[in-house]
Amino acid sequence: MVTAALLLCAALAQAINPKPFTVPEIQQWKGGEGTFTPETNTCIIAETKDERVVEIARIFSQDYAAMTGSSLRVSEGKAQKGDIVLKIKKNKKADNESYNIKITAKGITVTAPNEQGLYWATRTLLQLTELATDGVSLPIGEISDTPEYAIRGFMMDTGRKFIPMDYLYDLVNTMSYYKMNTLHIHLNDNGFPRFYDNDWTKTQAAFRMESDKFPGLTARDGSYTKAEFRNFVNYAKTKGVEIIPEIDVPAHSLAFTLYKPELASKGRNGFDHLDIENPATYEFLDTLIAEYIGGPNPAFPGPIFHIGTDEYQGDSITMEKFRAFTDRYIKYTESFGKKPAIWGSLSHAKGQTPVQVDNVLMYGWSNGYANPADMIKLGYQMVSIPDGYVYIVPEAGYYYNYLNNELLYNHWSPRNIGGYVVPDEDLHQVSGGMFAVWNDTPNNGLTVKDIAHRVMHSLPTMAAKTWSGDAVTVPYEEFIAKSSRMMEAPGVNYLARYGNPDKAEEILKLDVVPVGATLPIPEIGYNYTVEFDIEGAAEEKGTKLFESPNATFWLSDPVTGRFAYSRDDDMFTYRQNILPGEKLKVKITGDNKGTKLYVNGKLIDDMNIRWKAYFVRNEKGELVPASGYKLAQVRTLVFPLQKSGKFNSKITNLRVTNAIIE
């Protein structure tokens, strides 16, 4: 009898739904028994006339359809059995982003103290749907969830590498799916002169915003119009993501000093430093900043504006002036009704000149530049973005190429600012945490796809740690195994991942590749194998084999007539062409390090990452290798497949696999 009772208890225990996996993980779960499955007549009910709640219901419906292929109708009527109800339940004591979900056999009820919490709840429901065994059924139970930190973000350097709007929109959607709520856009910066003959006038520099006040200031290799940036900020807001634009001054300002050389520092600082003793500098910056945060319909409509203020160099007298500069632009930003944000630099810039503390958001990135204990003692509100933990500088040879997710997941949270762990009594001064991509070495062949690959590698981990802090409970191995299989967001597949990531699957198969046709998938991302047979015919130079909006694979490139591929601003040519009447078996493999071309089973070219050395002149005027002056050349390819070209050769037996087949 005892054994039977124990078995019965065990069976009942197993029937209780365990806490489901989500990213970030939900804080509290009370499991029930069984599942709820939305039906064809299930509606999303917005129990309010609040336009934002109705908008949230519509976004949820659209994302659900993108994920499952099934539609859920949005209604403002009375809920029926099987419906999903969204309602605001005011609670002054609750966190602004908190929410509750009750899943029963009869339907789902979502409550939150305001619209933001309601929106995050829909992200949780979408993740439960994605991770459901059958792709639709949700476990019965109750969820109570709230974030530990208010700012959960990411920073993108667009100054050194232009990031097109299409990816920024996808990035917002992805961040939103993982409840990350802040995207910082670094709008100006410059490369290092050592890679440009030590000549500032040749060094890469860019300001990415359209400017009416200063015609010719805007970068020619990629920029944002005011209208499209404003629209982007407003779109991100609907997805729960706040955009923080940054104009970085008075260092990192080569784009401005090349435009107006008279504004450049005359001291020992580099030409990319503004002269903060020159009244013309302030006239220029006042006008420039007001162009974007001023007026009735500003290009930067969000509540926060970042004024930079990092890594300015100089003696003690210069640092006093730098402190005055920082204080001035904090107040200037406030005069437009914006909350100012700055990079922490006040430990580096020691001095007596006061710098405003109240209403200022300080980024703690380097303890040498801003000692977090001292900054907290002064009263600054901190964003934790420590360089030694969360800086990605792709293929630069320093910081991280890919973040160390295990270190971050097991040993970091926003309260850890560069190794200084903020004590409990001061934790209210830590607003949250971010990670960052700095594109320090422009023109190194790195594509936006490569940057996105690095971002997505760590975005789930950072989402988990900035939401839950030190309270994560899922073991790291389980977290990585499950989160790495998740989508970027409903309707988003920027990395072009297809099939089961745990095994090789044939994603596309065509016995004959038609000429000038649209193919079933636009491209295939890392890791992949593309194979085909070709029977050659006479081809003109510039003949494409496959193309997508992001890349072209050339059957006969425009210069040499050989196999080649191009993406972004680079073309890479293989040591192989096709002759009339020749029959070849071709295989291309690609990963995040490069591509390989095989012909008839033989490796022809390995387009891996290579390093270019740089030279400087010694005292005798001789060119000698410069120690540490190496620049990567990245030759990766997300393989284009959207359209076949207009070729004369015969292409057969096309096979595309989501794994590398050696």
Side-chain angles (χ1 to χ4, degrees), residues 224-237:
Y224 312 116
T225 68
K226 294 176 186 175
E228 70 180 345
F229 199 88
R230 183 187 304 113
N231 291 340
F232 171 61
V233 173
N234 291 332
Y235 172 84
K237 186 178 179 181

Side-chain angles (χ1 to χ4, degrees), residues 246-377:
E246 177 193 0
I247 296 178
D248 194 3
V249 290
H252 303 281
S253 298
L254 184 61
F256 305 139
T257 59
L258 289 176
Y259 181 74
K260 283 184 173 291
E262 66 271 21
L263 302 183
S265 171
K266 308 301 189 294
R268 68 181 180 88
N269 298 328
F271 192 75
D272 64 342
H273 281 48
L274 291 169
D275 182 356
I276 57 178
E277 298 183 51
N278 186 349
T281 295
Y282 297 91
E283 293 174 14
F284 171 77
L285 290 180
D286 286 359
T287 303
L288 183 74
I289 291 171
E291 183 174 1
Y292 303 105
I293 66 175
N297 191 26
F300 300 165
I304 302 175
F305 173 63
H306 200 297
I307 61 173
T309 71
D310 63 319
E311 297 187 298
Y312 199 83
Q313 308 301 323
D315 57 20
S316 59
I317 296 174
T318 303
M319 288 298 96
E320 293 288 1
K321 293 173 181 177
F322 169 76
R323 291 173 68 91
F325 175 98
T326 302
D327 185 67
R328 184 188 191 282
Y329 280 103
I330 286 172
K331 291 178 169 63
Y332 188 69
T333 298
E334 276 191 320
S335 73
F336 292 93
K338 304 289 186 184
K339 183 183 182 75
I342 61 175
W343 293 102
S345 292
L346 298 184
S347 296
H348 169 74
K350 292 182 174 66
Q352 301 303 311
T353 304
V355 179
Q356 180 175 319
V357 173
D358 293 343
N359 194 41
V360 176
L361 199 60
M362 178 182 282
Y363 284 38
W365 68 280
S366 164
N367 293 13
Y369 273 84
N371 183 289
D374 293 342
M375 297 304 105
I376 287 172
K377 186 176 181 180

Side-chain angles (χ1 to χ4, degrees), residues 67-78:
M67 177 181 288
T68 67
S70 301
S71 298
L72 297 177
R73 186 166 57 88
V74 175
S75 173
E76 298 177 46
K78 188 176 180 180

Side-chain angles (χ1 to χ4, degrees), residues 410-443:
N410 288 330
H411 303 292
W412 181 84
S413 72
R415 73 186 302 166
N416 181 341
I417 306 178
Y420 174 74
V421 179
V422 177
D424 290 345
E425 59 268 24
D426 295 330
L427 199 54
H428 63 282
Q429 286 181 242
V430 179
S431 292
M434 291 186 179
F435 69 120
V437 164
W438 293 102
N439 297 304
D440 281 14
T441 51
N443 309 315

Side-chain angles (χ1 to χ4, degrees), residues 39 70 125 173 245 256 269 346 354 462-463 514 523:
E39 303 292 344
S70 301
L125 291 174
N173 290 331
F256 305 139
N269 298 328
L346 298 184
M462 290 299 295
E523 53 193 356

